[in-house]
Amino acid sequence: MPTELPDLRPLLACILLALASPGVRADEPAQPDRPEETLPTVSVVGVTPLGAVQERSTIAAPVQVATAEDLDRSHAVNLPGYMSRELAGVHVNEVAGNPWQPDLNYRGYTASPLLGTAQGLSVYADGMRLNQPFGDVVSWDLIPAAAISTMALMPGSNPLFGLNTLGGAVSITTKDGYSDPDSEIQVLYGSNGRRDVQFDSGGSTASGFDWYVTGHRFREDGWRDDSPSDVQQFFGKLGWRDDATRLALSGAWADSDLDGNGLQEQRFLARDYDSVYTKPDNTRNRSGFLNFTAEHRFGDASTFSGNAYARSIRTRTFNGDINEESLGESLYQPNAAEREALAEAGYTGFPESGESAANTPFPYWRCIANALLNEEPNEKCNGLIGRTQTNQRNYGLSGQLTFAGDVAGRPNRFTVGAAYDASRTHFRQTSQFGYLTPDRGVVPVDAWADGTQDSENAYDARVDLKGQAHTESVYATDTFAFDDHWKLTLSGRYDRTTVRNRDQLLPGGGGGSLDGDHRYSRLNPAVGLAWSPTASVTTYLGYNEGSRAPSSIELGCADPDNPCKLPNSMAGDPPLKQVVAKTLEAGVHGRYGAATNWHVGVFRATNHDDILFVADNTAGYGYFRNFGQTRRQGIELGFDQRLERLRYGADLTWLDATYRSRELVGGAGNSTNDIGPGFEGAIEILPGDRIPLVPKQIFKAFAEFEVTAALSLNADVQAIGGSYARGNENNRHQPDGEHYLGPGRSGGYAVFNLGIDYRPAPAWKLFAQVDNVFDRRYATAAQLGATGFDAAGNFVARPFSGPVVDGERPLRGATFYAPGAPRLFWVGVRYTFGAAERVSH
């Protein structure tokens, strides 16, 4: 039984007691972007997506901010790469096995490109929501990191950021011609054929116009077998401004072709770390958007800001998987009818008798024969190819008015706003049977999972679903300064969401139809109190609530009697409730002298009616369901110090993520299931069981040293604690070496990274990066499931002769891991046009 972890109340009491003591005085750091009338460090919850980065100085909670210079100095290839290395409390699960498709986790909440992942973080760029309508997923390959000017990670369930802000929000501000007036070109080359070319150019005129444009092409073969990536990104912005008004129109286009071959069984990772379980697993994304932003100041006391956007996303997937329905079947010697069908179709060389697992490591004749007969390819074919096509169009607008002035003689800042977001989605899927080859590929046969087979277990995996959704929102926030030390913020947001699904295969509702009309509404409040006993110390206490309405894919896959294969299948559903997160946090942060920053904080976030994907196997089958309560609580400590030529720091997050309700879920691959070893029974989750894939400790440290004016070095380390595997939600799985292989959890790990920058001349920059310096082998995630191979890597069906329960035989279970990247290096050069001339002048 898991033990209850320490209560946070004693630590919270100590922190609040410490607030009464005087702090060390120091000059408040300058805020160059802050107008004089802006209240300093006042709000825990008073910032909106339209002004998140610009207004970060008004937030007392531990907001983490990064600039374009920070991203450049890290040499990270994309935004998740930077955040996982540099930001406190952030880590990634590389479940997809591709550097552009990680699950980004913060405080136990996730933003992921994978359908079926419980999404809990919202992502915005210039006020435009980047979570996609279908599944609230975030495709990191569609975000042009080269265009990022500043990025802020906001903690908690701040309702002002709207739906899906359960654990935090990422807000991005893009570059423009005023902030980035240079023209640059950069190229790099690295491990596994990594090639990257990037350019950007910006400028402005005396009449107030400015422009910025950047393009990026990334290609690599990938460190795992058959895992190439090809990413193309383009971003441009045209703007105009005067003393009171700023207008900008930005547009982006992205096209990616990514192979990420996912989890691998433990025995084969030990033998060949680069290997894959099955292939291919290909995702192609193509996206474009336009975003118009406007800001106008009405004198010194009031400001209007708003945006309007439109976006189109097209996604195609092609996935080769093992057909787990075949693992308990007899796949070897064709019977007389099957041999006759093969002969009539012109096939030769099939066995007349004697084919077995001992002499046929990869069977296929029965698969081909059953495809010809259309009888049982769903049972006799050990491979499955899934294809999906998703077209999404979404658009929206938002606007807000901010009034700054005095109330009762004290500074006050009030913002009121409204937003509208709408989307149309068309999702189509097919599944085709096939057979596995020795290189783990799948050869398709002319048989489809369309329910027409002459088999008692025939199923229809086709999906053709159209969905519409729209959300209307109004929000307000007010920050009032009682005096020079105490500030209070009150906020609230009302969201009303309508989701309309229409099944193109079974229209009209009824059994098996995906038709449905769903409506959700909620008013989410927030309150924050900040106290600054000195100019160098700020304390904060905040409570906030956020919610997330179920997406079309969750509403279409919520029936445990009809599990889905994500992103492939859906089934008629019982209704799901929306998730509500309630977060309480408190802490203190400050400066010691002019060079040291520090912070201490605690938080507790409780999700009510959490939507979880209950996985049945490693191929992705499962279903969504509401889960009573889950809780994520923790302690955060951190500091950084800048000396004359040295900057260093560290962060520690202790995280306790647990289920708080007793629930019964599917236990395929779990040794404690209620049917017996090797069967797909159920497991019971008890309050206090830890949520899978969430580590208990996250530690990070870094150091940057300026050797000379031209040469600098940087180093960082990430130390991540172990976590339980998906499928081991009850934390009780135990391997027996026969029916179950592997411990049902991933171990902790530490990864060291080194970088160097050298500027031989003002216009030139040379750089190099080595990730995972010590070539550590580790796993970022794990999952329980049935394995279809023996220790030699040969396919094996019916690994056990019995017992037979309801016509089913036991299977062998294993722990599958998401391996972390081995040692990687890359070197690059950047040239800035005109830099030498500016220096000479």
Side-chain angles (χ1 to χ4, degrees):
M1 294 286 292
T3 57
E4 181 71 17
L5 291 161
D7 196 334
L8 297 180
R9 287 175 292 182
L11 179 60
L12 176 59
C14 293
I15 290 175
L16 295 178
L17 182 62
L19 306 185
S21 62
V24 179
R25 301 191 63 88
D27 294 334
E28 183 73 6
Q31 300 287 347
D33 297 329
R34 186 176 68 193
E36 289 298 324
E37 69 273 18
T38 300
L39 293 168
T41 315
V42 295
S43 172
V44 179
V45 291
V47 174
T48 69
L50 289 172
V53 177
Q54 292 86 344
E55 298 176 29
R56 63 186 183 272
S57 59
T58 69
I59 307 173
V63 176
Q64 300 180 74
V65 178
T67 65
E69 290 75 18
D70 295 324
L71 271 68
D72 178 62
R73 188 166 49 247
S74 73
H75 307 144
V77 298
N78 51 34
L79 184 59
Y82 170 80
M83 296 177 67
S84 64
R85 281 175 46 195
E86 303 287 343
L87 299 189
V90 175
H91 71 101
V92 296
N93 302 130
E94 299 179 53
V95 174
N98 187 286
W100 294 89
Q101 296 177 296
D103 292 352
L104 182 81
N105 305 284
Y106 174 58
R107 289 184 172 182
Y109 292 91
T110 304
S112 168
L114 302 181
L115 288 169
T117 303
Q119 310 286 341
L121 302 175
S122 59
V123 182
Y124 289 85
D126 294 333
M128 180 181 69
R129 178 178 165 86
L130 297 183
N131 296 79
Q132 295 173 24
F134 198 57
D136 290 318
V137 301
V138 179
S139 294
W140 303 108
D141 52 303
L142 304 182
I143 301 176
I148 296 175
S149 176
T150 50
M151 182 277 300
L153 175 60
M154 316 280 180
S157 48
N158 186 344
L160 297 182
F161 280 84
L163 297 177
N164 215 62
T165 310
L166 304 180
V170 178
S171 185
I172 295 167
T173 298
T174 58
K175 297 176 181 177
D176 57 40
Y178 283 97
S179 63
D180 289 86
D182 293 327
S183 295
E184 298 179 329
I185 186 168
Q186 173 182 295
V187 296
L188 67 81
Y189 181 82
S191 302
N192 307 302
R194 175 172 292 185
R195 295 92 75 197
D196 188 294
V197 179
Q198 175 184 311
F199 77 90
D200 63 331
S201 180
S204 60
T205 68
S207 58
F209 286 96
D210 71 281
W211 66 89
Y212 176 80
V213 62
T214 182
H216 178 223
R217 179 72 180 272
F218 174 96
R219 300 185 70 181
E220 73 169 10
D221 300 329
W223 67 269
R224 296 184 70 184
D225 294 343
D226 301 295
S227 299
S229 299
D230 188 347
V231 178
Q232 303 174 66
Q233 299 173 338
F234 177 85
F235 175 86
K237 180 186 285 188
L238 179 65
W240 177 84
R241 68 181 66 185
D242 62 13
D243 292 340
T245 304
R246 295 184 181 184
L247 305 175
L249 177 65
S250 59
W253 173 85
D255 191 344
S256 66
D257 186 350
L258 308 175
D259 281 88
N261 288 304
L263 306 173
Q264 173 61 300
E265 206 235 285
Q266 58 176 43
R267 294 174 297 174
F268 309 129
L269 277 180
R271 188 170 62 192
D272 182 0
Y273 195 66
D274 300 344
S275 64
V276 299
Y277 188 63
T278 58
K279 64 181 182 180
D281 285 292
N282 177 260
T283 300
R284 295 187 177 187
N285 283 320
R286 179 171 292 178
S287 170
F289 74 74
L290 290 173
N291 186 30
F292 176 75
T293 60
E295 180 180 321
H296 181 73
R297 291 199 304 272
F298 303 94
D300 296 332
S302 58
T303 303
F304 168 82
S305 57
N307 79 311
Y309 72 90
R311 183 170 60 153
S312 174
I313 305 171
R314 188 180 73 177
T315 301
R316 306 289 184 271
T317 68
F318 184 91
N319 301 315
D321 293 307
I322 197 167
N323 178 18
E324 296 199 8
E325 298 300 316
S326 71
L327 296 183
E329 303 296 328
S330 174
L331 306 188
Y332 299 98
Q333 176 58 47
N335 60 32
E338 293 167 347
R339 294 195 301 272
E340 181 180 352
L342 290 168
E344 290 180 355
Y347 287 95
T348 60
F350 49 85
E352 294 293 333
S353 63
E355 183 178 275
S356 66
N359 57 31
T360 309
F362 288 90
Y364 59 90
W365 285 116
R366 295 203 76 183
C367 173
I368 297 174
N370 275 269
L372 294 171
L373 297 168
N374 199 32
E375 289 188 349
E376 294 183 334
N378 53 301
E379 297 179 357
K380 301 303 188 285
C381 293
N382 58 9
L384 193 65
I385 290 179
R387 298 175 177 89
T388 72
Q389 178 176 315
T390 309
N391 294 322
Q392 303 178 77
R393 296 182 183 273
N394 61 309
Y395 53 90
L397 66 150
S398 62
Q400 66 183 42
L401 284 168
T402 299
F403 304 92
D406 289 348
V407 173
R410 299 302 308 169
N412 189 80
R413 183 184 180 95
F414 174 72
T415 297
V416 60
Y420 176 79
D421 295 276
S423 66
R424 293 176 179 268
T425 302
H426 190 184
F427 176 81
R428 285 170 286 185
Q429 175 271 326
T430 60
S431 293
Q432 183 178 9
F433 297 111
Y435 54 87
L436 292 169
T437 59
D439 66 352
R440 303 297 178 87
V442 178
V443 176
V445 296
D446 189 17
W448 303 77
D450 55 11
T452 64
Q453 287 76 37
D454 184 17
S455 168
E456 62 180 354
N457 296 319
Y459 61 93
D460 189 353
R462 295 173 300 161
V463 175
D464 192 343
L465 175 69
K466 290 185 177 180
Q468 298 181 29
H470 57 86
T471 300
E472 300 90 17
S473 308
V474 292
Y475 58 87
T477 178
D478 186 84
T479 299
F480 178 74
F482 292 99
D483 53 31
D484 293 338
H485 303 286
W486 291 91
K487 284 92 179 178
L488 174 68
T489 297
L490 299 175
S491 303
R493 179 172 178 132
Y494 174 79
D495 294 300
R496 184 179 65 184
T497 299
T498 301
V499 181
R500 182 176 185 267
N501 285 345
R502 290 296 179 264
D503 193 331
Q504 305 302 293
L505 298 176
L506 295 173
S513 176
L514 301 179
D515 281 8
D517 292 280
H518 311 270
R519 292 176 177 84
Y520 302 90
S521 61
R522 197 171 196 276
L523 174 64
N524 290 311
V527 58
L529 182 65
W531 177 45
S532 300
T534 73
S536 61
V537 176
T538 297
T539 66
Y540 60 90
L541 177 66
Y543 174 80
N544 46 76
E545 297 183 6
S547 59
R548 180 171 76 84
S551 65
S552 292
I553 193 169
E554 291 167 330
L555 291 167
C557 178
D559 189 350
D561 294 328
N562 294 280
C564 311
K565 183 180 185 304
L566 295 175
N568 298 333
S569 303
M570 292 182 283
D573 60 280
L576 292 171
K577 302 176 183 178
Q578 64 179 331
V579 185
V580 176
K582 301 179 179 181
T583 303
L584 175 67
E585 61 181 292
V588 54
H589 61 83
R591 293 176 62 86
Y592 184 85
T596 305
N597 300 290
W598 55 270
H599 72 269
V600 179
V602 295
F603 64 90
R604 171 176 286 183
T606 302
N607 281 18
H608 301 260
D609 297 317
D610 212 348
I611 296 176
L612 302 179
F613 182 71
V614 181
D616 277 351
N617 57 46
T618 57
Y621 282 95
Y623 57 92
F624 291 101
R625 64 171 295 176
N626 283 117
F627 193 100
Q629 287 188 16
T630 60
R631 187 175 70 193
R632 297 150 178 89
Q633 62 182 0
I635 303 171
E636 299 172 327
L637 309 170
F639 83 97
D640 67 85
Q641 185 173 42
R642 182 182 296 277
L643 304 179
E644 182 177 357
R645 293 159 54 186
L646 176 66
R647 180 172 175 260
Y648 62 97
D651 293 280
L652 173 64
T653 299
W654 176 83
L655 182 58
D656 172 32
T658 57
Y659 299 104
R660 307 311 303 171
S661 302
R662 183 188 296 265
E663 297 283 352
L664 198 68
V665 299
N670 192 307
S671 65
T672 63
N673 78 82
D674 58 359
I675 295 181
F679 289 97
E680 296 183 2
I683 60 173
E684 185 179 25
I685 298 175
L686 300 177
D689 288 341
R690 293 189 59 81
I691 298 174
L693 306 191
V694 182
K696 195 173 181 180
Q697 302 92 8
I698 302 173
F699 174 78
K700 298 181 182 181
F702 74 93
E704 300 169 358
F705 181 60
E706 186 178 322
V707 182
T708 68
L711 178 64
S712 61
L713 306 174
N714 67 78
D716 64 86
V717 59
Q718 310 158 59
I720 312 297
S723 60
Y724 286 104
R726 280 181 180 156
N728 193 14
E729 283 80 8
N730 64 349
N731 306 167
R732 293 166 181 79
H733 170 79
Q734 294 292 331
D736 60 9
E738 182 180 7
H739 290 89
Y740 299 101
L741 311 175
R745 60 174 293 128
S746 58
Y749 62 91
V751 176
F752 292 82
N753 310 300
L754 292 175
I756 182 171
D757 290 275
Y758 177 59
R759 293 185 178 273
W764 290 93
K765 176 183 174 181
L766 309 177
F767 61 90
Q769 180 72 27
V770 182
D771 280 0
N772 194 0
V773 174
F774 300 110
D775 202 22
R776 173 72 185 272
R777 293 191 174 187
Y778 61 98
T780 63
Q783 182 168 318
L784 298 180
T787 180
F789 302 98
D790 61 20
N794 297 323
F795 177 83
V796 57
R798 290 187 175 177
F800 304 102
S801 58
V804 179
V805 179
D806 295 331
E808 301 293 330
R809 288 175 169 80
L811 305 179
R812 177 170 285 117
T815 302
F816 292 74
Y817 291 104
R823 182 190 299 118
L824 301 175
F825 78 91
W826 57 96
V827 295
V829 58
R830 176 184 300 166
Y831 180 77
T832 303
F833 295 91
E837 289 80 355
R838 288 196 300 271
V839 171
S840 64
H841 286 26

